[in-house]
């Protein structure tokens, strides 16, 4: 079946997630659909089935259309098409690599930092990324969408902890919910005085831009809090005209956007691609926020770079691209210890006796700070 024919397919129903109807209509989920769409050769079907039995597979038609099947190293395919390497866990990989569960006081809440919580509304996404840090938790048949009772308990937790300044809606992808459901959540947050900021982590504007309707944008504004949408995008090709228009609908409505990207081997681990991605985001009025080092999720070693590679890429961006294009390179410390910036650092003390520091400029030149006094 060609991609063009798939656009005419009747709606795919998903009994577990009735909120997904609009996305489900244009989504490839079964390995055989990936083969029929010409995205992978038939001889890989058995391999795909093995991986799909372990980890969720989903690819929206918009993303499928970006793939060049003749390119064995296509960066979009690498993010979404299953690979047998996913079945090989590497030493140190963890089912819960960033330690969400260790900081979950009630279902749906992760309270790791003093002033903010994650509120995980759903555990489903329009696409399933092969490098996903929550791959053991997301997907049909994994953890369920928060029930009304669980959501009420989670909101009670936020209500009774006055140190919570910011609530981050995440999952899964919270923008897979209907505008009606989102509006309910935002209105509930509106009534909690100490919550000032609502942040939404999503991949929807790039992978399912048609979901960003005026109703959805209006639902996010229902909290009357400061709302930020943080877009997950990893390759400049993801910022199609449809994606750009979807992002513009948020920004034009007064919702600022930030981005987070994952550094992925074979997708964006070269300076030109990373630079193009950051520039494309800024052109969409999205401030690059985080570049995540790949988490130790099971079966993702083939997609991770080294930290040294990541630091070299950040050096390549520094100074040669506008300050607007500079994300912070971060590592989520395994075990739930939170994120820390991992450099590179441009400042050092040249020796233990020196009062001055040595700072490196973007050309690699080194300078003392404060500068040595001129000889009189
Ligand atoms: S969109 Fe986010 S939560 Fe969903 S599969 Fe991708 S990385 Fe995981």
């Amino acid at each position: 079946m060609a991609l063009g024919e798939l656009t005419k397919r009747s709606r795919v129903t998903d009994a577990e997630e009735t909120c997904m109807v609009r996305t489900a209509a244009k989504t490839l989920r079964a390995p055989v659909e990936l083969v029929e769409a010409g995205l992978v050769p038939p001889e890989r079907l058995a391999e795909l089935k093995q991986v799909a039995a372990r980890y969720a597979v989903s690819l929206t038609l918009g993303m499928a259309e970006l793939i060049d099947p003749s390119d064995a190293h296509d960066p979009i395919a690498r993010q979404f098409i299953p690979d047998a390497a996913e079945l090989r866990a590497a030493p140190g990989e963890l089912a819960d690599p960033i330690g969400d569960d260790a900081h979950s006081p009630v279902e749906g809440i992760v309270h790791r930092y003093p002033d903010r919580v994650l509120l995980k509304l759903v555990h489903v996404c329009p696409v399933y990324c092969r490098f996903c840090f929550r791959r053991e938790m997301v997907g049909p048949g994994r953890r369920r969408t928060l029930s009304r009772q669980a959501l009420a308990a989670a909101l009670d937790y936020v209500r009774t902890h006055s140190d919570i300044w910011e609530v981050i809606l995440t999952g899964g992808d919270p923008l897979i919910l209907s505008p009606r459901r989102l509006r309910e959540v935002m209105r509930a947050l509106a009534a909690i005085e100490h919550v000032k900021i609502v942040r939404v982590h999503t991949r929807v504007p790039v992978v399912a831009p048609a979901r960003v309707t005026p109703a959805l944008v209006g639902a996010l504004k229902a909290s009357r809090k400061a709302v930020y949408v943080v877009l997950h995008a990893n390759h400049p090709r993801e910022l199609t005209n449809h994606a750009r228009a979807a992002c513009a609908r948020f920004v034009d409505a007064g919702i600022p956007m930030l981005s987070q990207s994952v550094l992925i081997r074979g997708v964006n681990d070269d300076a030109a691609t990373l630079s193009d991605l950051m520039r494309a985001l800024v052109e969409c009025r999205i401030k690059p926020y985080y570049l995540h080092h790949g988490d130790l999720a099971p079966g993702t070693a083939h997609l991770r770079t080294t930290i040294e590679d990541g630091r070299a890429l950040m050096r390549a961006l520094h100074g040669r691209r506008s300050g607007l294009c500079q994300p912070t390179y971060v590592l989520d410390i395994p075990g739930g210890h939170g994120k820390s910036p991992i450099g590179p650092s441009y400042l050092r003390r040249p020796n233990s006796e020196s009062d001055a520091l040595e700072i490196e400029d973007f050309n690699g030149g080194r300078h003392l700070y404060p500068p040595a006094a001129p000889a009189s």
Side-chain angles (χ1 to χ4, degrees), residues 232-252:
H232 171 183
N234 302 318
H235 192 277
R237 216 194 284 168
E238 293 171 35
L239 290 157
T240 61
N241 288 340
H242 290 304
R244 289 169 188 251
C247 294
R249 289 194 279 279
F250 286 123
V251 180
D252 289 346

Side-chain angles (χ1 to χ4, degrees), residues 191-210:
I192 305 176
E193 180 60 27
H194 55 266
V195 172
K196 304 295 185 190
I197 308 292
V198 182
R199 196 195 320 173
V200 181
H201 284 183
T202 183
R203 203 139 162 57
V204 158
V206 293
V207 301

Side-chain angles (χ1 to χ4, degrees), residues 14 23 34 50 55 77 114 119 159 162 179 211 215 272 277 301 333 354 362:
D14 184 330
T23 304
L34 301 179
Q50 269 190 312
Y55 297 112
L119 174 52
R159 209 173 281 120
S162 58
R211 292 189 68 83
L277 171 64
I333 303 168
S354 172
F362 71 97

Side-chain angles (χ1 to χ4, degrees), residues 16-20 107 120-124 142-148 150-151 176-177 181:
E16 192 178 6
E17 297 299 336
T18 52
C19 57
M20 296 170 62
E107 186 184 353
K120 299 204 271 188
L121 296 171
V122 291
H123 285 91
V124 288
R142 302 280 171 144
R143 296 184 187 187
R144 63 198 174 105
T145 296
L146 274 194
S147 66
R148 289 199 175 273
L151 176 59
I176 205 161
L177 290 171
R181 238 10 252 288

Side-chain angles (χ1 to χ4, degrees), residues 78-80 86 128-135 203 232 234 262-264 267 294-295 297 299-300 303-304:
R78 196 158 167 80
Q79 293 184 66
F80 302 116
E86 293 174 50
Y128 290 108
C129 311
R130 308 326 302 165
F131 51 85
C132 177
F133 65 129
R134 295 198 177 114
R135 62 187 334 214
R203 203 139 162 57
H232 171 183
N234 302 318
V262 181
L263 185 58
I264 310 165
V267 172
D295 291 309
T300 61
L303 298 170
R304 276 195 300 278

Side-chain angles (χ1 to χ4, degrees), residues 177-196:
L177 290 171
S178 68
R180 183 182 58 77
R181 238 10 252 288
L182 283 167
R183 187 178 290 273
E184 285 172 11
V185 174
M186 297 305 265
R187 284 195 174 144
L189 292 171
I192 305 176
E193 180 60 27
H194 55 266
V195 172
K196 304 295 185 190

